[in-house]
């Protein structure tokens, strides 16, 4: 059984950018549901995979959409919670240098990240990625993870309406702008860039 990892901060600690109710529903209902469905699929098949990353890559290769969507959404949400922090610190050091090389400055990265998210039709995710040390912005649809792109995910923001509707209604752009300025966990991003890749918590089996 894959666990539902607890939020790495309090439900009320990202307010007012993201409210307590949003985080409760998003984590306790949406993320929880993806984990539950995935565990039901695995229990039925009798499979006991060792990592969620392996489930995603295997389901993707096999064209198993139900497993893939639920495993991908479980992983993306785990990575999304870690992508935010109540104790904002601006990027620095090698990360800032990589941002400046790729985009010129942090404001330009923000503009690209927000534009990618706003321009993404429907549900999905907007990512900051690294490939061979070069940073880029991209989005994926529905439950697709950046893991399959061959690039290293550094940061993600959830573009599904459940991520922001209670706090921002239909204003995805307003949400993304404030999110980028207030909540990005740059020390986490720096760790991903340095090769300390985050992985989903391991499953336990009876
Ligand atoms: Fe979500």
């Amino acid at each position: 059984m894959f666990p539902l990892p607890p939020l790495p901060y309090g439900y009320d600690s990202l307010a007012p950018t993201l409210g307590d109710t949003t985080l409760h529903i998003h984590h306790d209902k949406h993320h929880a549901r993806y984990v539950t469905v995935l565990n039901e699929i695995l229990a039925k098949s009798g499979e006991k995979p060792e990592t969620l990353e392996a489930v995603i890559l295997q389901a993707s290769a096999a064209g198993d959409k139900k497993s893939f969507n639920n495993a991908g959404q479980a992983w993306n949400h785990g990575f999304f919670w870690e992508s935010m922090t109540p104790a904002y610190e601006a990027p620095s050091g090698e990360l800032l240098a990589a941002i400046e090389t790729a985009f010129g400055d942090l404001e330009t990265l923000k503009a690209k990240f927000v534009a990618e998210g706003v321009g993404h039709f429907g549900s999905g995710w907007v990512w900051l990625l690294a490939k061979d040390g070069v940073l880029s912005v991209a989005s994926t649809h529905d439950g697709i993870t950046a893991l399959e792109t061959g690039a290293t995910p550094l940061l993600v923001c959830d573009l599904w309406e459940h991520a922001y509707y209670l706090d921002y209604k239909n204003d995805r752009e307003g949400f993304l702008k404030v999110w980028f300025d207030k909540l990005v966990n740059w020390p986490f991003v720096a760790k991903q860039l340095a090769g300390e890749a985050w992985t989903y918590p391991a499953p336990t089996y009876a």
Side-chain angles (χ1 to χ4, degrees):
M1 298 274 283
F2 282 97
L4 173 66
L7 287 183
Y9 30 72
Y11 287 95
D12 58 354
S13 62
L14 302 184
T17 309
L18 286 176
D20 176 272
T21 307
T22 292
L23 287 189
H24 268 291
I25 294 173
H26 199 171
H27 177 270
D28 305 355
K29 304 290 184 191
H30 289 280
H31 190 183
R33 179 70 187 153
Y34 296 123
V35 176
T36 299
V37 173
L38 175 65
N39 283 329
E40 286 170 359
I41 294 168
L42 293 172
K44 210 170 172 183
S45 71
E47 289 174 69
K48 293 183 176 175
E50 288 180 11
T51 68
L52 186 57
E53 291 78 9
V55 175
I56 292 167
L57 296 177
Q58 194 183 336
S60 176
D64 177 354
K65 284 196 173 167
K66 193 174 180 191
S67 294
F68 175 78
N69 284 333
N70 286 283
Q73 283 296 79
W75 196 94
N76 287 352
H77 282 91
F79 196 79
F80 175 58
W81 307 131
E82 299 290 341
S83 292
M84 300 186 284
T85 177
Y88 182 87
E89 284 176 48
S92 59
E94 287 185 15
L95 171 60
L96 183 59
I99 290 170
E100 289 172 346
T101 300
F103 304 102
D105 56 28
L106 186 62
E107 275 305 302
T108 307
L109 164 56
K110 176 187 171 183
K112 285 204 169 186
F113 192 89
V114 171
E116 180 73 28
V118 170
H120 181 93
F121 186 79
S123 296
W125 301 83
V126 56
W127 305 84
L128 179 63
L129 303 171
K131 193 160 192 182
D132 301 325
V134 179
L135 273 52
S136 62
V137 167
S139 56
T140 60
H141 280 284
D142 303 326
I144 296 175
T145 74
L147 287 178
E148 306 139 74
T149 65
T152 302
L154 304 182
L155 172 74
V156 76
C157 187
D158 193 336
L159 300 175
W160 289 61
E161 277 193 346
H162 65 231
Y164 58 88
Y165 202 84
L166 287 176
D167 298 306
Y168 298 85
K169 298 297 183 281
N170 61 332
D171 184 11
R172 182 185 286 180
E173 182 174 6
F175 159 61
L176 285 169
K177 283 180 171 171
V178 179
W179 185 90
F180 195 94
D181 284 341
K182 303 282 189 191
L183 295 187
V184 173
N185 186 353
W186 290 113
F188 173 77
V189 176
K191 280 189 186 174
Q192 308 313 301
L193 183 62
E196 296 174 45
W198 178 85
T199 56
Y200 198 86
T204 51
Y205 299 104

